[in-house]
Amino acid sequence: MAEFLFYFLSIVAVAAGAGVVLSRSPMMSIIALLATFFCLAVIYLLAGFQFLAAAQVLVYAGAILVLFLFVIMLLNLGDTRGQFRLQDALLSGKTRLGLAVAAALGLVGAVAARRAPLGEHDAALHAEGIDDLTDVATALFGRYSLPFEVVSLLLLATMVAVLALAKRQRGPASQRPPEASATALAAPPPTPAPPPALPDPVASKEEVTS
Amino acid sequence: MPDVLVWLMKAGAIFGILLGTAAYLTLAERKVSAWIQYRYGPNRVGPWGLFQPFADLIKFIFKEEVAPAGANPLMFRLAPFLSAIPAMLTVAVIPFGPEVRIGEVATNLSIVDLDVGALYLLAFSGLAVYGPILGGWASNSKYSLLGGLRASAQMVSYELTLILCLLAVVTLSGTLDLREIVTSQAERGVWNVFVQPVAFVLFVVATFAETNRHPFDFAECEPELVGGFHTEYSAMRFALFFLGEYCAMIVMAGLTTTLFLGGFGIPFVEDPHWVLGFLAFMTKTAMFLFLFLWVRWTLPRFRFDQLMGLGWKVFLPVALVNLFLTGAVVSLLG
């Protein structure tokens, strides 16, 4: 039963992962990614990692993907149908590079899986969960507390960098005299962002039919 | 009796309780609103209108499903389920009562007792945001889109407060298992609401925002957005959105009871019979459900910027300070 579930979920996860890349509409990509995260979470559960599964759903499906959804809705990213031809996309250099990287990673994964010691399958242990919260917490905030803090700093730095880039693209601070740039941060941006435009499934449908 | 059978019966019973409570909550909503506004409310279907939920259900089933032209067909159908299913799944970890002993069978009155129960609940209640946002987007209507955006923005914002308040309780109890949080309150002899009054108030207010209820129901505020994210929905799909909202309310009320009011514990009674424990849990939960209704028909609606300001500038800092102080006190007193 568990083995069948594992293979079933793996196939669904891989198929959904392919769907993320191949789908023409970003919304469908999001839903496919959601499915992938879910399958992964259940696979973690099957392996006995309850905390990992809950964290996977909480962080990836509940927070990060919602952010993606926001961005796609606010930028009104439409259907990419008609913008690419599959043959062109498959033959481009970027695709070849991507395929090569994927093949290399797959090889590494396969080798790692071969060399990894296979644990004894203990159903009772797995049902209770083998990632005991106390152990996770002690490791995370004890032995690995410094890397943990560094990672949070990294995230903060990324956020600041994104803000800086977004500011520069609008270009208020650099064009002003230095004494004004300090107040520019507090002032509202000179050109307010356009209101969220409606998604227009009608338009994309007409494209299909025409 | 085999374990699987016991478990299936338990799951069936708890889902039955959830769906039954949700159905009668719709009636209670109308009865309470009528009572507050000095009216009768529904009183034609059965005595005191008791069969009204069934009449509503039949009406929903037989109504015509209408989808607006240009709606994204897949997402439009998917969204109501994405709203209802996570809300129903969260009930799995709520401990409804103490250990039940009938004959030789002994089992805990909750579908599953997870080590990471609180995390599981947060994870799935966080997924509830997909229903409104996808429904609003797929409807191809400006009111729906604005409603969906508002719903998701407020749910994401208030989830932070919810998590931080829950963490304060978790810090006190030292576990994420909801059943152990209940027993730890019984062992301490005092409910968490008295130990963590700040977290309690923030948590209750945040549940109102998280479930899109009055006075924070911007996702569907009629004067501005017609019906918000479900403007374009009709028949069973609309009913599913409603079911999701009511199930979320019940789960949130149950969670508040579990975290702050001692769950199925009864004050000054040690190890009560499981029927009494279950009744105590349901009574406390019903109290919070009544609070949801009472507030809806009493308080005026906020403004959206006030809601966001309250969430990010007041609740979040206060919850953070509260969590910090809790952690400090717990680590100092050992």
Side-chain angles (χ1 to χ4, degrees), chain B residues 134-202:
Chain B
L134 284 180
W137 179 81
S139 295
N140 192 30
S141 141
K142 51 169 99 55
Y143 298 120
S144 300
L145 182 71
L146 284 173
L149 276 177
R150 281 180 172 190
S152 44
Q154 93 181 50
M155 281 161 101
V156 168
S157 312
Y158 277 83
E159 215 179 331
L160 285 175
T161 308
L162 218 58
I163 292 178
L164 286 174
C165 294
L166 193 145
L167 278 184
V169 172
V170 167
T171 314
L172 267 183
S173 313
T175 173
L176 280 170
D177 189 336
L178 291 176
R179 184 171 293 277
E180 279 178 35
I181 289 178
V182 171
T183 42
S184 82
Q185 291 178 63
E187 278 162 16
R188 211 180 299 120
V190 54
W191 289 349
N192 280 337
V193 58
F194 300 113
V195 191
Q196 286 283 351
V198 180
F200 173 71
V201 172
L202 294 189

Side-chain angles (χ1 to χ4, degrees), chain B residues 52-334:
Chain B
Q52 187 68 39
F54 300 100
D56 286 341
L57 180 70
I58 293 170
K59 185 192 81 173
F60 277 129
I61 290 174
F62 283 103
K63 269 177 107 167
E64 184 185 358
E65 304 255 11
V66 183
N72 185 319
L74 176 68
M75 299 291 177
F76 190 75
R77 290 195 177 87
L78 194 64
F81 291 97
L82 282 181
S83 177
I85 291 175
M88 289 192 218
L89 285 181
T90 43
V91 83
V93 287
I94 301 277
F96 274 76
E99 192 178 52
V100 178
R101 283 184 215 88
I102 303 172
E104 295 172 0
V105 182
T107 178
N108 282 332
L109 201 55
S110 51
I111 296 182
V112 60
D113 288 319
L114 280 181
D115 256 2
V116 290
L119 268 188
Y120 167 91
L121 205 144
L122 287 176
F124 277 92
S125 68
L127 291 185
V129 82
Y130 283 103
I133 197 171
L134 284 180
W137 179 81
S139 295
N140 192 30
S141 141
K142 51 169 99 55
Y143 298 120
S144 300
L145 182 71
L146 284 173
L149 276 177
R150 281 180 172 190
S152 44
Q154 93 181 50
M155 281 161 101
V156 168
S157 312
Y158 277 83
E159 215 179 331
L160 285 175
T161 308
L162 218 58
I163 292 178
L164 286 174
C165 294
L166 193 145
L167 278 184
V169 172
V170 167
T171 314
L172 267 183
S173 313
T175 173
L176 280 170
D177 189 336
L178 291 176
R179 184 171 293 277
E180 279 178 35
I181 289 178
V182 171
T183 42
S184 82
Q185 291 178 63
E187 278 162 16
R188 211 180 299 120
V190 54
W191 289 349
N192 280 337
V193 58
F194 300 113
V195 191
Q196 286 283 351
V198 180
F200 173 71
V201 172
L202 294 189
F203 191 89
V204 169
V205 178
T207 54
F208 279 77
E210 186 73 10
T211 48
N212 287 321
R213 285 288 297 188
H214 244 281
F216 307 131
D217 62 339
F218 298 97
E220 45 191 276
C221 84
E222 301 90 0
E224 298 160 28
L225 296 181
V226 191
F229 62 89
H230 54 56
T231 304
E232 305 291 348
Y233 280 90
S234 52
M236 267 326 269
R237 288 183 200 142
F238 173 75
L240 274 178
F241 272 124
F242 240 74
L243 186 65
E245 180 182 325
Y246 280 98
C247 284
M249 275 164 68
I250 295 166
V251 170
M252 281 299 164
L255 182 65
T256 318
T257 305
T258 307
L259 291 179
F260 293 101
L261 286 196
F264 48 77
I266 304 173
F268 312 116
V269 180
E270 271 193 27
D271 203 9
H273 191 265
W274 67 269
V275 176
L276 287 179
F278 173 72
L279 284 181
F281 178 84
M282 289 309 274
T283 313
K284 292 174 195 171
T285 306
M287 210 180 71
F288 280 111
L289 288 176
F290 180 72
L291 185 70
F292 272 112
L293 305 183
W294 186 11
V295 165
R296 168 160 183 190
W297 296 102
T298 316
L299 292 185
R301 186 179 287 133
F302 271 50
R303 235 176 34 224
F304 194 65
D305 58 315
Q306 289 174 328
L307 171 83
M308 292 316 252
L310 184 73
W312 288 100
K313 293 180 191 155
V314 181
F315 277 22
L316 189 63
V318 172
L320 267 174
V321 169
N322 182 54
L323 177 61
F324 177 77
L325 289 180
T326 310
V329 168
V330 167
S331 63
L332 282 181
L333 299 181

